Amino acid sequence: MFLNIKSCLLVLFLLLGSIFLITEKAFSQEIDLESYDPNTEIILKGEIKEIIIPEQGMVSIIISKGEKLYRAYLCPRWFYFQLNPNLKPGEMVEIKGAKIYTRRQGLVLVVRVLKNLTTKEEVVIRDFNCKPCWRGKRW
């Protein structure tokens, strides 16, 4: 009887862990960064507060404009390191990107062009057709 309770708890723990992982993966794919709607494109100028480079997935930056914070998604981690942009917290940037609203994160931006106003460097993340520059370049 005691062994059955332990076995049931172990199975329950494994099921809950699996559900958690599936949910996290679903939330991380909630934003379709491959599609880009130029009809929602805006230009945002602000200060980089944080650069978020996950173990895998999309690199994003947190930008402040006045009292508001915005999250802007750049590109996959591997492509970010290939571009090797010279970005640092505290630098001023101008982003041209599309607005996307998500249930989990609210308003986020998908970046097409990022201009570092501090260093004058410009990073093109999507081409003139708004297609990701990383498409077909995986290595």
Side-chain angles (χ1 to χ4, degrees):
M1 175 97 176
F2 184 69
L3 184 58
N4 287 340
I5 292 173
K6 276 183 149 178
S7 298
C8 288
L9 287 175
L10 178 61
V11 169
L12 180 63
F13 177 74
L14 291 174
L15 284 173
L16 289 175
S18 299
I19 290 170
F20 175 76
L21 290 174
I22 291 169
T23 304
E24 280 300 305
K25 185 166 179 115
F27 279 133
S28 71
Q29 294 175 355
E30 174 186 10
I31 303 170
D32 181 10
L33 298 177
E34 290 289 323
S35 62
Y36 186 97
D37 185 359
N39 295 314
T40 66
E41 196 169 79
I42 64 167
I43 295 176
L44 175 73
K45 290 182 184 180
E47 178 185 347
I48 297 176
K49 290 296 182 184
E50 185 179 358
I51 302 168
I52 301 163
I53 304 173
E55 286 296 317
Q56 55 181 315
M58 302 300 272
V59 173
S60 61
I61 57 176
I62 305 296
I63 300 169
S64 70
K65 180 177 180 175
E67 296 294 317
K68 289 194 167 196
L69 294 176
Y70 299 91
R71 181 175 220 153
Y73 284 92
L74 301 177
C75 58
R77 174 188 167 95
W78 65 268
F79 192 66
Y80 179 82
F81 286 114
Q82 184 177 330
L83 290 172
N84 195 24
N86 189 19
L87 298 176
K88 295 179 185 74
E91 293 183 326
M92 296 299 292
V93 292
E94 177 183 280
I95 289 176
K96 185 181 282 189
K99 296 185 293 185
I100 296 178
Y101 186 81
T102 68
R103 285 179 280 131
R104 186 167 188 208
Q105 297 182 37
L107 179 69
V108 297
L109 297 172
V110 177
V111 178
R112 183 161 66 99
V113 178
L114 181 137
K115 293 180 185 176
N116 186 330
L117 300 175
T118 305
T119 65
K120 308 298 184 220
E121 178 183 11
E122 182 175 285
V123 180
V124 177
I125 298 174
R126 292 172 179 271
D127 65 18
F128 62 94
N129 290 321
C130 301
K131 301 293 182 209
C133 292
W134 66 83
R135 183 177 281 161
K137 294 185 179 183
R138 181 86 188 198
W139 49 276

